[in-house]
């Protein structure tokens, strides 16, 4: 049984390279409506994409303001469904267990896990602004004693070895080296602990990264990895996949709807739609056990 959070060792300066400093600067300055407006609906800020069937009737709303509200709510519903899907693969967990949210953003995933299992959660983000925002949200929910966010590097967290029953990345692996990332997951997890990731990866069978993948990289200042790199890095760090699910088809409708939102589209929607359709880009869930 995993105990409640205790004091953690102070990690060094969060960024380890010029690139990581640029990523931190990006997220410290980010105020994108597609992240903030969706989160305001129920104070769950997810910072990722959605899965599931879309209610396209929201597009038939004649009043522009009401149409925007309905599209925003539908996109948020799809994003929350994705968060619940990931959280459901972390089980079994108990309220005494502790979980690790790597690249937690503004904190929605940790809250979802806590509400589902009652567990303790530690989120880590390289953005001081995000960590402060997420901790304030936890205080507002009166769960600050169980859900905590840290301004740290997910590759070198300073959190205690073997203290976690589960861990995950939700669309944040493209900012780091996978070998270092999964080494840290393996260090933090107890034996038998579960690691889950939802990733956008380029499809090795297509060849090299496509033009659309390159555009996504440039848009988010990231480096999308090939699918095969995940399984190699997991295997080298004692993480054995027990479930792999291709969510590409389930995510396409999200992008179709988002493209048609006048206020929330960011200009990258067509790159995702094209890459999903031509097979160069995949959206996967990988669940692995620490052995």
């Amino acid at each position: 049984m995993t105990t409640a959070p205790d004091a953690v060792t102070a990690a060094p300066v969060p960024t380890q390279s010029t690139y990581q400093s640029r990523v931190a600067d990006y997220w410290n300055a980010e105020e994108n409506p597609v992240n903030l407006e969706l989160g305001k609906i129920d104070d769950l800020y997810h910072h990722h994409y959605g899965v599931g069937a879309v209610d396209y009737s929201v597009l038939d709303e004649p009043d522009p303001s009401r149409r925007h509200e309905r599209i925003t709510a539908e996109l948020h519903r799809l994003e929350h469904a994705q968060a619940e899907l990931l959280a459901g693969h972390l089980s079994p967990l108990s309220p005494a267990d502790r979980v690790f949210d790597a690249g937690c953003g503004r904190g929605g995933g940790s809250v979802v896990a806590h509400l589902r299992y009652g567990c303790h959660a530690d989120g880590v983000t390289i953005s001081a602004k995000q960590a402060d925002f997420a901790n304030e949200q936890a205080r507002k929910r009166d769960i600050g004693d169980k859900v905590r966010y840290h301004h740290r590097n997910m590759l070198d967290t300073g959190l205690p070895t073997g203290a976690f029953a589960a861990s995950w990345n939700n669309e944040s692996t493209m900012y780091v080296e996978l070998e270092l990332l999964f080494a840290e997951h393996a260090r933090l997890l107890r034996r038998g602990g579960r690691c889950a990731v939802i990733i956008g990866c380029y499809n090795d069978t297509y060849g090299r990264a496509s033009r659309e993948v390159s555009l996504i990289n440039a848009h988010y200042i990231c480096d999308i990895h090939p699918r095969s790199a995940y399984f190699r890095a997991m295997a080298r760090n004692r993480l054995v996949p027990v479930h792999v699910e291709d969510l590409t088809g389930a995510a396409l409708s999200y992008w179709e709807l988002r493209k048609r939102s006048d206020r929330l589209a960011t200009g990258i929607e067509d790159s995702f739609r094209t890459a999903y359709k031509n097979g160069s880009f995949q959206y996967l869930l990988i669940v692995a056990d620490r052995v």
Side-chain angles (χ1 to χ4, degrees), residues 127-160:
S127 164
K129 181 179 177 181
Q130 287 183 341
D132 290 343
F133 181 94
N135 277 316
E136 179 60 25
Q137 293 300 309
R139 283 191 288 271
K140 287 180 178 178
R141 287 179 176 270
D142 199 26
I143 58 173
D145 60 331
K146 286 216 168 185
V147 179
R148 304 177 183 183
Y149 301 94
H150 312 274
H151 177 215
R152 295 167 185 256
N153 193 311
M154 71 174 87
L155 304 181
D156 182 20
T157 64
L159 296 168

Side-chain angles (χ1 to χ4, degrees), residues 43-56:
D43 287 331
L44 284 172
Y45 293 81
H46 286 306
H47 280 227
H48 54 70
Y49 313 131
V51 296
V54 170
D55 176 8
Y56 283 107

Side-chain angles (χ1 to χ4, degrees), residues 115-129:
L115 293 178
R116 177 181 283 249
Y117 300 108
C119 57
H120 299 262
D122 287 274
V124 165
T125 172
I126 205 169
S127 164
K129 181 179 177 181

Side-chain angles (χ1 to χ4, degrees), residues 27-144:
W27 288 111
N28 282 328
E30 185 269 336
E31 294 286 342
N32 198 318
V34 79
N35 289 325
L36 295 175
E37 287 195 33
L38 274 62
K40 288 176 183 176
I41 291 173
D42 56 6
D43 287 331
L44 284 172
Y45 293 81
H46 286 306
H47 280 227
H48 54 70
Y49 313 131
V51 296
V54 170
D55 176 8
Y56 283 107
S57 71
V58 299
L59 297 173
D60 299 329
E61 175 60 51
D63 179 77
S65 295
R66 177 60 181 153
R67 183 177 187 269
H68 173 66
E69 290 175 1
R70 292 186 63 190
I71 291 174
T72 302
E74 181 65 0
L75 289 172
H76 184 64
R77 183 186 68 81
L78 296 168
E79 291 191 2
H80 188 72
Q82 191 261 38
E84 290 285 2
L85 174 68
L86 188 152
H89 283 278
L90 302 177
S91 61
L93 291 172
S94 75
D97 286 324
R98 189 174 180 182
V99 300
F100 170 55
D101 183 356
C104 62
R106 287 187 172 93
S110 292
V111 176
V112 169
H114 168 72
L115 293 178
R116 177 181 283 249
Y117 300 108
C119 57
H120 299 262
D122 287 274
V124 165
T125 172
I126 205 169
S127 164
K129 181 179 177 181
Q130 287 183 341
D132 290 343
F133 181 94
N135 277 316
E136 179 60 25
Q137 293 300 309
R139 283 191 288 271
K140 287 180 178 178
R141 287 179 176 270
D142 199 26
I143 58 173

